[in-house]
């Protein structure tokens, strides 16, 4: 008879938990599918939140939401501090984003994904008091080479040398926002090309760390929740990541200080997630460079997901076919 150490089981995420988490991101993506291109991002987000919350309730773990949906998008569920799971498995911190890219979904654009990240209890940084974070993300070549405190041109030249490329061959992912106009200009002045993202910088950061991606670097100010979620994925990819909290005003800075956060400190990967025992799970809502979106094929709904495990450094892709009649109202299809 096989025996298990039940004490350690409740301290660390079990390796099989990833397949349970995938069911939750698949459910959120499928429920969001009828809302693609309909111009209603709140409707899409609400459907995804409901589905993810229902499936998380069946997962064999004791999760506490550290990076939640409720505060960010005024959702009634999956808020910071909420307990999720059936309470009988490992004790975990959890970050959720039922749709990273609600505006992309509403407009029918690419790169919307449904995301869950998990780490050991007490290891995920709670940066909820500051909405934005300045980030610098790359593959393993960036370790010991890049520094968020340096000018972008200097970082680009250093990364190009480490990757054995000319600067002109580098492609940098940046959110297309007015706040990044000067940054984009400096990237182009250095000779590198940009890949401007309308939304969804979790996928941008992961693509910057993936060896087969055309993106070499992801840089700029995006959501701090997305930064912590990305950090969980980087643990499996062996990539480089630094961040620095970017409060919008003095009031937000004061809230951060009251929460024990230093807005001037450079956050290394291990500061954002203090464990290598992480999972990152994402299912495509719309097509993108990371995963394909939900597709209806006759009586079948097809999803594609990616699962990254920090401890083993494993990246898995899961393609699943679901009977449409089990999921969707035919009037929506």
């Amino acid at each position: 008879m096989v025996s298990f150490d039940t004490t350690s089981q409740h301290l660390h995420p079990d390796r099989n938990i990833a397949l349970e988490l995938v069911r939750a991101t698949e459910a959120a993506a499928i429920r969001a599918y009828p809302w693609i291109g309909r111009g209603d991002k709140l409707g899409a987000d609400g459907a995804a939140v409901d589905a993810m919350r229902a499936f998380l309730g069946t997962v064999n773990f004791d999760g506490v939401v550290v990076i939640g949906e409720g505060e960010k998008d005024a959702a009634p569920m999956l808020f910071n501090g909420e307990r999720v799971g059936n309470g009988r498995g490992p004790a975990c911190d959890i970050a959720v984003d039922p749709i990273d890219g609600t505006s992309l979904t509403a407009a029918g654009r690419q790169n919307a994904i449904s995301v869950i990240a998990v780490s050991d209890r007490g290891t995920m940084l709670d940066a909820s008091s500051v909405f934005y974070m300045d980030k610098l993300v790359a593959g393993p070549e960036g370790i010991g080479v890049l520094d968020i405190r340096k000018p972008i041109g200097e970082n680009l030249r250093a990364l190009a040398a480490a990757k054995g490329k000319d600067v002109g061959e580098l492609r940098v992912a940046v959110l297309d926002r007015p706040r990044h106009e000067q940054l984009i200009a400096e990237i182009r002045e250095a000779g590198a090309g940009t890949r401007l993202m309308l939304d969804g910088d979790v996928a941008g950061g992961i693509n910057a760390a993936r060896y087969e991606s055309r993106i070499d670097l992801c840089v700029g100010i995006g959501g701090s929740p997305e930064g912590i979620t990305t950090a969980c994925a980087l643990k499996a990819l062996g990539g480089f990541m630094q961040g620095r909290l970017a409060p919008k005003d003095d009031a937000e800075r004061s809230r951060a200080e009251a929460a024990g956060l230093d807005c001037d400190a450079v956050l290394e990967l291990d500061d954002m997630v203090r464990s290598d025992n992480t999972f990152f799970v994402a299912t495509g809502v719309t097509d993108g460079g990371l995963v394909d979106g939900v597709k209806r094929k006759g009586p079948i709904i097809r999803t594609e997901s990616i699962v990254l495990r920090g401890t083993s450094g494993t990246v898995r892709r899961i393609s699943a076919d679901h009977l449409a009649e089990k999921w969707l109202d035919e009037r929506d299809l």
Side-chain angles (χ1 to χ4, degrees):
M1 178 180 294
V2 178
S3 62
F4 298 92
D5 181 351
T6 56
T7 301
S8 62
Q9 180 186 6
H10 285 267
L11 293 176
H12 302 290
D14 179 81
R15 68 178 61 192
N16 295 322
I17 199 174
L19 295 180
E20 297 186 68
L21 295 173
V22 166
R23 294 173 60 240
T25 56
E26 287 174 344
I30 290 170
R31 291 299 191 194
Y33 172 74
W35 297 90
I36 294 174
R38 293 196 176 185
D40 185 355
K41 68 177 187 178
L42 293 179
D45 197 51
V49 169
D50 289 346
M52 179 175 282
R53 183 62 179 82
F55 272 79
L56 279 175
T58 71
V59 176
N60 185 39
F61 77 148
D62 178 14
V64 173
V65 176
V66 175
I67 304 295
E69 178 72 3
E71 288 78 5
K72 183 174 66 120
D73 287 331
M77 295 184 293
L78 297 178
F79 51 83
N80 288 25
E82 184 175 354
R83 302 294 286 261
V84 293
N86 62 19
R88 294 195 295 271
C92 307
D93 286 347
I94 180 169
V96 298
D97 199 343
I99 305 180
D100 180 37
T102 52
S103 296
L104 299 176
T105 303
R109 295 191 175 110
Q110 292 191 335
N111 293 312
I113 56 177
S114 178
V115 177
I116 295 173
V118 171
S119 67
D120 293 325
R121 176 68 54 79
T123 62
M124 194 178 290
L125 178 66
D126 181 0
S128 58
S129 56
V130 181
F131 190 79
Y132 288 112
M133 177 188 289
D134 194 6
K135 308 165 200 172
L136 186 64
V137 188
E141 300 88 353
I143 297 173
V145 171
L146 300 176
D147 192 322
I148 199 169
R149 291 160 289 207
K150 294 179 180 178
I152 188 62
E154 185 176 340
N155 276 322
L156 288 170
R157 289 186 288 274
L159 182 62
K163 300 187 79 167
K165 293 183 174 183
D166 293 329
V167 173
E169 296 179 82
L170 297 181
R171 296 296 176 267
V172 183
V174 189
L175 282 171
D176 190 5
R177 300 288 190 272
R179 63 178 178 266
H180 289 150
E181 288 180 0
Q182 182 62 33
L183 175 61
I184 292 168
E186 291 176 3
I187 291 169
R188 292 170 176 169
E189 286 171 7
T194 55
R195 292 292 182 268
L196 300 184
M197 302 179 292
L198 294 173
D199 212 338
D201 64 337
V202 171
I206 294 171
N207 281 329
R210 293 169 58 227
Y211 73 90
E212 73 270 35
S213 171
R214 187 63 187 88
I215 302 300
D216 298 283
L217 187 70
C218 184
V219 63
I221 296 174
S224 57
E226 287 82 356
I228 305 304
T229 302
T230 303
C232 285
L234 266 287
K235 291 283 186 169
L237 296 171
F240 166 87
M241 183 174 182
Q242 285 181 331
R244 187 162 45 195
L245 296 173
K248 299 189 294 290
D249 50 36
D250 289 341
E252 193 173 57
R253 179 178 286 272
S254 295
R255 287 196 297 272
E257 292 173 352
L261 299 173
D262 183 352
C263 294
D264 298 317
V266 172
L267 299 171
E268 304 291 346
L269 187 58
D270 286 340
D271 296 320
M272 291 181 255
V273 183
R274 299 185 307 277
S275 171
D276 291 333
N277 195 28
T278 62
F279 289 101
F280 174 92
V281 178
T283 300
V285 178
T286 59
D287 286 342
L290 185 63
V291 283
D292 289 338
V294 178
K295 292 180 174 60
R296 176 70 187 270
K297 295 179 177 294
I300 296 299
I301 299 169
R302 180 164 295 165
T303 58
E304 185 183 29
S305 304
I306 187 169
V307 177
L308 292 80
R309 178 162 166 76
T311 300
S312 60
T314 305
V315 178
R316 291 183 173 89
R317 290 187 176 273
I318 298 174
S319 179
D321 288 346
H322 315 260
L323 275 177
E325 65 185 41
K326 302 288 188 180
W327 285 95
L328 301 171
D329 188 330
E330 289 295 323
R331 292 171 297 180
D332 293 329
L333 302 177

